[in-house]
Structures are given as C-alpha cells and as structure tokens.
Amino acid sequence: MNSDEKKEKAAQKAMAFVTPGMTLGLGTGSTAAKFVDLVGAAVADGLDLVCIPTSEATRAQAAALNIPLTTLDETPHLDVTVDGADELDEHLRLVKGGGGALLREKIVATASDKMVVIADDSKYVEMLGQFPLPIEVVQFGLKSSLMMIESLAGRVGCKGDIVQRMKEDGTPFITDNGNFILDCHFGRIEKPEALSGALTQVPGVVENGLFLGIADVALIAGDEGITQLEFGF
Ligand code: 5RP
C-alpha cells in the first residue's frame, strides 16, 4: 500500500467517530483533506452535522462540498476534531504545522472533547524532532524572536538550524493569521514539554507545533491495517 492509500484508510476509519448532530473540527493537510472528502460525501447522503475548519484551505474545500460550517465564536465547543500530523510518538505527542495551520489546529483541537489523529505509519516515530518543528511568530522583531528561540531551545538540549519558511516564489510564507513560520531543524526533541514551555517565554512566539496532551486517539495506517493508539481514557 502506498502512503496515499494508507492516508485514505486512516481517514475512512475516522468516520467511525462521526455521529449525527455533532460539531466536528476539520484538520488541514493531505490526510485531513481525504477525511473532509468523506465527510462531504456523508453530508450529501444526508448526514446532519456542523463543522469548523482549521484553515482557509480546509474552509474552501468544505464549502465546495456543501458541508455546513460554523465558527468558534458561534460554537465555542466541539465534540471531535480529526486532523493529521507530521510526527507522533507512543505518548500521542505530535509535531504539527507542516501545512502552516498549527495555530488554528491547536485552538480547534483544544476546544474539542476529543482529538483524533489520522496518519500513515511513516509519521510514527520513536522520538520527535526529525521533522522540523514549525513555530508561528509575529512579523515584528523576527530576528530577535529567532535568536531567543535558539537560546532557550539550546538550554533544553535542542540545537539546529532555524529557518524562516519561504514560498516557492522566494517570498515569506504567511499563515492564515498573518504571521511568519520558523522551521526548527532540531533532529531530536528529547524533552518536548520542556521545549514547549521554553518557547512560551518568547514574546514573539504565537504558538509552536508541539501538541502535548491534546490528542486522544491516533489511527495509524500501515500495510497490516490500522493501529489505534489511545491516551487518557
Ligand atoms: C498542517 C498540519 C498537517 O496535519 C500535517 O502537516 C500533516 O499533513 P499531511 O497529512 O499532508 O502529511 O499540521 O498544518
């Protein structure tokens, strides 16, 4: 099975968490997009629910599929959010933000009773950090924020290049919230909780891509089928 087929299998499995009348968070990325397509098909078949997208890209996809949408301001609490991940470990700690949507993804996931992660088995790692950790920072004082991140991360054992994310045309990547992304090539994040805590000390950091104690279930698709990891219940 190729990774695309595995993503599809994980997305299909996640449909078991979708029930009529619920408020559902829709993640961002290629795996989440497959789930959104399935939700769209279920809505076309008569499923009644309301969704909150985690990015403008997902909003556009969901709207094109006629999925009923609301906002966190109208509906501040969700039942379930289904989203992908760039990395996850055995404790259901995640690195997210490869698509640059980490802030809205974290806001929506933490406003949900349950976060379900869908992924192919290439995302499952023994230690987080091989995938560069995305950090969303305000545009003002970018260089100062980068230097503070470098210093504070170093104190918790994380060293490596920190690079501003750019688009293919050479201009800075701007998030849906109007901020920049710094990608941190740490290689290994031995103490994710300590790193996340350190990053909150940088005033220019809006949010980082470590999702710690947020995911409840992971559906990981491999050649042998789906492995379901659960945390905290
Ligand atoms: C976007 C994300 C995505 O969930 C993550 O990048 C995984 O994407 P994909 O399913 O395309 O591998 O965090 O900000």
Side-chain angles (χ1 to χ4, degrees), residues 178-194:
N179 299 311
F180 290 148
I181 295 279
L182 294 174
D183 289 308
C184 303
H185 297 250
F186 294 139
R188 298 167 64 82
I189 301 175
E190 296 192 5
K191 298 174 186 164
E193 286 78 10

Side-chain angles (χ1 to χ4, degrees), residues 62-131:
L65 291 164
N66 297 315
I67 296 173
L69 298 176
T70 185
T71 64
L72 269 183
D73 292 322
E74 284 171 359
T75 314
H77 170 260
L78 300 85
D79 297 298
V80 172
T81 285
V82 177
D83 202 349
D86 298 301
E87 284 185 341
L88 71 153
D89 72 5
E90 61 176 328
H91 305 295
L92 285 192
R93 297 180 295 192
L94 318 175
V95 167
K96 284 184 56 57
L102 63 110
L103 176 59
R104 294 190 188 187
E105 289 172 336
K106 199 179 271 193
I107 291 171
V108 171
T110 56
S112 305
D113 280 345
K114 189 177 286 188
M115 180 191 192
V116 178
V117 180
I118 50 176
D120 65 88
D121 54 3
S122 70
K123 307 291 184 65
Y124 185 74
V125 296
E126 278 191 14
M127 182 172 295
L128 302 177
Q130 198 62 45
F131 188 92

Side-chain angles (χ1 to χ4, degrees), residues 24-28 51-56 58-59 62 69-70 104 108:
L24 177 66
L26 302 175
T28 297
C51 294
I52 298 181
T54 55
S55 64
E56 293 306 318
T58 299
R59 179 187 304 284
L69 298 176
T70 185
R104 294 190 188 187
V108 171

Side-chain angles (χ1 to χ4, degrees), residues 3-74:
S3 83
D4 221 44
E5 291 165 338
K6 290 175 184 172
K7 289 175 184 183
E8 183 70 35
K9 293 278 182 213
Q12 286 169 357
K13 188 80 176 176
M15 287 302 288
F17 290 85
V18 177
T19 54
M22 74 174 356
T23 304
L24 177 66
L26 302 175
T28 297
S30 58
T31 317
K34 293 184 185 303
F35 176 74
V36 175
D37 279 341
L38 294 172
V39 172
V43 167
D45 280 349
L47 175 68
D48 172 36
L49 85 178
V50 65
C51 294
I52 298 181
T54 55
S55 64
E56 293 306 318
T58 299
R59 179 187 304 284
Q61 182 192 2
L65 291 164
N66 297 315
I67 296 173
L69 298 176
T70 185
T71 64
L72 269 183
D73 292 322
E74 284 171 359

Side-chain angles (χ1 to χ4, degrees), residues 122-162:
S122 70
K123 307 291 184 65
Y124 185 74
V125 296
E126 278 191 14
M127 182 172 295
L128 302 177
Q130 198 62 45
F131 188 92
L133 176 68
I135 300 178
E136 181 158 349
V137 295
V138 297
Q139 297 195 20
F140 180 83
L142 175 70
K143 190 81 188 283
S144 299
S145 295
L146 191 156
M147 288 169 66
M148 285 180 75
I149 290 168
E150 202 165 37
S151 164
L152 291 168
R155 287 192 214 166
V156 296
C158 290
K159 294 190 194 314
D161 289 343
I162 301 178

Side-chain angles (χ1 to χ4, degrees), residues 186-233:
F186 294 139
R188 298 167 64 82
I189 301 175
E190 296 192 5
K191 298 174 186 164
E193 286 78 10
L195 176 61
S196 188
L199 293 173
T200 63
Q201 295 177 45
V202 182
V205 168
V206 180
E207 194 47 83
N208 72 76
L210 286 166
F211 282 49
L212 309 174
I214 296 175
D216 300 286
V217 180
L219 304 171
I220 305 165
D223 285 326
E224 317 74 33
I226 304 278
T227 301
Q228 181 161 333
L229 298 182
E230 302 204 17
F231 179 76
F233 70 96

